[in-house]
Amino acid sequence: MNDRGRRSMKRFIILGVSLSLYSGCLGTTGAWAAGHGGASALVAEGERRAAATLADPHVATFRNVAVHTMDGASVVCGEMAEHNPPADGVFKKFGYVQGQDDPVVFSGRDVPQKIEFNEVNAWLNDSIKLEDLEEMGCVPKGTYHRYNEDLNKVMSQRHQFGVD
């Protein structure tokens, strides 16, 4: 083999070793992304769909966004808020399953001490969204149970038809 052939062979070996080391450093998420067209495209899709639930989708701020697989599906989980939220501002938790139209978005608001009669359904629907996020692996196990206990406690103190 001549010098030119040896140089080509060295480059090929170095490239192979470099790719091998690089893929080893990626970890499970990076390896998943490399094998599935990139997590960044999936994150962008999840963020776009979650932002579409806001009154003005162009002002969304995201944080803690991650991708994982569950039951063979790719799931994007994270938090979003209106652009430049205050330090104590509420970030909504969201989850998006690749290929589905609608993300699950939980308001993130704490259960108040009193819930107005005309807001009961909204609170119940919101708690169901938290349950969905837990099933998707976007919030820790037990999050829905704790939230639902607080909500049930407030609801049990209500008088019928909102009359106090």
Side-chain angles (χ1 to χ4, degrees), residues 75-147:
V75 180
V76 178
C77 300
E79 298 174 332
M80 74 170 175
E82 300 290 330
H83 186 65
N84 294 326
D88 61 346
V90 174
F91 275 79
K92 298 177 180 184
K93 296 192 179 301
F94 75 91
Y96 171 72
V97 177
Q98 185 177 26
Q100 293 189 0
D101 291 333
D102 298 323
V104 175
V105 180
F106 172 70
S107 69
R109 55 192 177 158
D110 292 329
V111 176
Q113 291 186 359
K114 182 177 179 183
I115 296 176
E116 297 298 322
F117 179 74
N118 60 346
E119 295 179 356
V120 169
N121 284 339
W123 281 95
L124 292 173
N125 289 335
D126 207 33
S127 73
I128 291 169
K129 292 176 183 177
L130 182 60
E131 182 179 28
D132 291 343
L133 289 175
E134 186 173 313
E135 290 176 4
M136 295 168 73
C138 294
V139 296
K141 293 282 185 204
T143 302
Y144 166 73
H145 180 74
R146 285 187 302 278
Y147 187 85

Side-chain angles (χ1 to χ4, degrees), residues 4-160:
R4 187 173 183 194
R6 284 188 200 119
R7 281 194 302 253
S8 293
M9 182 66 85
K10 279 184 183 178
R11 286 184 189 148
F12 181 75
I13 291 171
I14 290 172
L15 176 63
V17 169
S18 297
L19 287 174
S20 175
L21 289 173
Y22 177 69
S23 65
C25 292
L26 284 176
T28 57
T29 303
W32 176 88
H36 290 86
S40 61
L42 181 56
V43 167
E45 179 182 350
E47 287 180 348
R48 181 178 53 80
R49 295 211 185 246
T53 65
L54 297 173
D56 185 1
H58 298 89
V59 299
T61 299
F62 293 93
R63 71 179 186 189
N64 302 327
V65 179
V67 177
H68 69 274
T69 57
M70 177 161 276
D71 298 330
S74 300
V75 180
V76 178
C77 300
E79 298 174 332
M80 74 170 175
E82 300 290 330
H83 186 65
N84 294 326
D88 61 346
V90 174
F91 275 79
K92 298 177 180 184
K93 296 192 179 301
F94 75 91
Y96 171 72
V97 177
Q98 185 177 26
Q100 293 189 0
D101 291 333
D102 298 323
V104 175
V105 180
F106 172 70
S107 69
R109 55 192 177 158
D110 292 329
V111 176
Q113 291 186 359
K114 182 177 179 183
I115 296 176
E116 297 298 322
F117 179 74
N118 60 346
E119 295 179 356
V120 169
N121 284 339
W123 281 95
L124 292 173
N125 289 335
D126 207 33
S127 73
I128 291 169
K129 292 176 183 177
L130 182 60
E131 182 179 28
D132 291 343
L133 289 175
E134 186 173 313
E135 290 176 4
M136 295 168 73
C138 294
V139 296
K141 293 282 185 204
T143 302
Y144 166 73
H145 180 74
R146 285 187 302 278
Y147 187 85
N148 201 41
E149 280 183 345
D150 292 345
L151 186 59
N152 284 336
K153 192 181 306 177
V154 171
M155 294 293 199
S156 69
Q157 296 170 357
R158 295 186 47 75
H159 296 278
Q160 189 172 11

